[in-house]
Amino acid sequence: MGRAPCCDKANVKKGPWSPEEDAKLKSYIEKHGTGGNWIALPQKIGLKRCGKSCRLRWLNYLRPNIKHGGFSEEEDNIICSLYISIGSRWSVIAAQLPGRTDNDIKNYWNTRLKKKLLGKHRKELQARNKGNSVVKQENNNSSLLLQENSAQLQPCWPVLPLSPYTNQTPSFNDQDSIRKLLIKLGGRFSGDYQPILDGLNNIQFSQQIQEEQVHVGSSGCMNSIGNNNQVQFGQSNNEYCAELVQGQGTFTAAIGEMVSTNNDYSQRLLGGLEFFYGEEMITDKIVSGSSSCEQISTNWGETSSLMYPPLVASNYEGVRQEMPRDCAFQELSYLGAPQ
DNA sequence: AACTACGACAACCGCCCCAGA
DNA sequence: ATCTGGGGCGGTTGTCGTAGT
């Protein structure tokens, strides 16, 4: 039994808003506010619209001080670094960019930024492919070899383009918004969020900025996902998956279960990776029913000499949404909070 | 000129969270 | 403690304009 719809779908207008509707909504809200009830609002104004639709229209289009289009290079960088850090939490990202809406940023990412970075990343991937062919061969031959080699392998993160003209740190300086951000991300922590804040800033704005590129995650603030179940990103994927299968600890066990038993979870864990790995590869894995960790590991292994699975961004998001709240502290450790 | 493909953006859908009853 | 319903969010779809053939 599903829940009752928020409005009478049959008597509600859909599709693009007319200028008249915009004017009605705008003038009413400017005079009276929303009244704290979006559902009742359209009836008051005499609009045949769903309350949620009114809310969306107001927030994304009619609200004052909304900027549309014309994203700057700096905004690009902020969006990219936050996406890598926290995944597709558009509202959180939007909160860091005054005048931008989550919908706007989401569209911008999906239509432009993703492709822009993908193109850049693929070029670099090809370049690395040549340089790492020897190691790759070893990985294919033996998982043992892979484990031995993995200690020497440096994790290779997607290289984000950084604006060469600026050394300016993006605005993680608003203490209140940071606090809110962190509460949203993890829930449980005291006022001592400075280490996390440092971690967030360090993700991108380490000394590597001088090199005009950043290997996100290599700053060390996100190199673990659990207390005694640390998974260093320097580990090989086989090690990583082996640990998941062993399930030593609730957090890794939960992830292991997600990966090994549920295609939907697998999909979410892998979701977003197509951006880094190439859509074909990810799609193949999922469609071919390779729900076992082992098989995913094998496929990852094919590229593991080039990249380790970035268990950040959308991966993290997928896990976060499914794990119990008791794991919140582990989330924070994931973000670099003190153990 | 007509058609197609693609990109950009607006809007919808469905789920989850959470405050209040 | 449980239920209900509104708000918020992210993913997806729809629509329109434009470039290419």
Side-chain angles (χ1 to χ4, degrees):
Chain A
M1 189 178 71
R3 55 178 303 167
C6 65
C7 54
D8 182 4
K9 302 281 183 190
N11 294 318
V12 156
K13 189 186 168 195
K14 290 183 186 178
W17 280 64
S18 68
E20 292 76 26
E21 289 175 311
D22 280 348
K24 266 188 181 178
L25 181 61
K26 195 173 181 192
S27 70
Y28 182 88
I29 293 179
E30 281 173 351
K31 281 181 192 168
H32 305 99
T34 64
N37 189 341
W38 284 106
I39 302 299
L41 195 128
Q43 283 186 328
K44 288 182 193 169
I45 316 174
L47 277 177
K48 288 191 171 182
R49 289 278 181 178
C50 172
K52 290 189 172 190
S53 180
C54 293
R55 174 185 161 271
L56 217 58
R57 184 66 179 169
W58 171 255
L59 291 177
N60 289 333
Y61 200 82
L62 299 175
R63 190 162 50 115
N65 304 321
I66 292 286
K67 283 192 273 181
H68 288 288
F71 281 82
S72 68
E73 194 77 13
E74 190 178 354
E75 285 175 313
D76 283 5
N77 292 337
I78 294 173
I79 294 169
C80 289
S81 59
L82 281 173
Y83 184 89
I84 296 292
S85 310
I86 62 174
S88 57
R89 307 179 80 170
W90 304 117
S91 58
V92 180
I93 296 173
Q96 302 299 319
L97 299 171
R100 300 294 186 187
T101 69
D102 52 355
N103 208 38
D104 236 14
I105 294 171
K106 181 171 58 181
N107 284 330
Y108 183 58
W109 171 265
N110 285 329
T111 56
R112 295 198 215 174
L113 268 186
K114 194 159 76 173
K115 289 165 190 168
K116 184 176 159 186
L117 292 185
L118 185 60
K120 224 181 157 75
H121 174 67
R122 278 189 170 155
K123 280 182 186 174
E124 298 191 0
L125 199 58
Q126 284 173 352
R128 286 208 185 97
N129 232 332
K130 293 176 183 174
N132 287 281
S133 56
V134 175
V135 180
K136 189 178 180 180
Q137 181 66 37
E138 287 177 358
N139 287 344
N140 286 340
N141 289 343
S142 159
S143 62
L144 185 63
L145 261 179
L146 186 147
Q147 284 185 24
E148 287 168 354
N149 286 333
S150 64
Q152 292 144 27
L153 293 176
Q154 292 302 308
C156 176
W157 296 95
V159 178
L160 294 182
L162 276 179
S163 171
Y165 64 81
T166 176
N167 286 328
Q168 189 181 351
T169 303
S171 55
F172 282 122
N173 297 326
D174 176 351
Q175 301 292 300
D176 191 50
S177 66
I178 292 161
R179 186 186 294 271
K180 285 175 187 166
L181 173 75
L182 292 172
I183 288 171
K184 233 176 133 79
L185 287 172
R188 250 193 246 170
F189 67 99
S190 64
D192 184 20
Y193 55 90
Q194 191 59 40
I196 309 172
L197 177 60
D198 293 338
L200 278 170
N201 281 324
N202 286 340
I203 289 169
Q204 175 159 8
F205 299 90
S206 66
Q207 61 182 28
Q208 290 172 326
I209 206 167
Q210 266 74 42
E211 300 164 14
E212 295 185 13
Q213 64 180 39
V214 171
H215 290 170
V216 181
S218 60
S219 63
C221 70
M222 299 196 295
N223 64 353
S224 67
I225 59 172
N227 284 340
N228 300 316
N229 301 286
Q230 292 200 342
V231 177
Q232 301 296 325
F233 284 132
Q235 281 181 301
S236 73
N237 295 307
N238 283 358
E239 282 180 278
Y240 170 73
C241 271
E243 181 157 358
L244 294 186
V245 170
Q246 283 171 4
Q248 299 171 345
T250 49
F251 190 67
T252 49
I255 301 173
E257 189 178 347
M258 290 173 197
V259 174
S260 63
T261 63
N262 190 315
N263 272 338
D264 182 50
Y265 282 137
S266 306
Q267 202 152 354
R268 292 177 71 169
L269 278 165
L270 292 167
L273 290 180
E274 68 275 16
F275 158 52
F276 295 125
Y277 289 104
E279 288 182 17
E280 305 82 2
M281 181 181 149
I282 295 298
T283 307
D284 285 347
K285 267 200 284 290
I286 295 169
V287 170
S288 69
S290 59
S291 59
S292 81
C293 184
E294 186 183 3
Q295 190 160 351
I296 290 174
S297 154
T298 304
N299 289 329
W300 271 349
E302 290 167 7
T303 55
S304 62
S305 65
L306 306 175
M307 286 191 294
Y308 295 109
L311 195 63
V312 292
S314 46
N315 280 5
Y316 163 71
E317 173 66 10
V319 172
R320 190 197 68 81
Q321 285 184 355
E322 300 303 331
M323 70 184 173
R325 290 189 179 280
D326 287 346
C327 291
F329 74 96
Q330 287 171 317
E331 283 189 83
L332 285 173
S333 76
Y334 195 70
L335 285 170
Q339 297 291 319

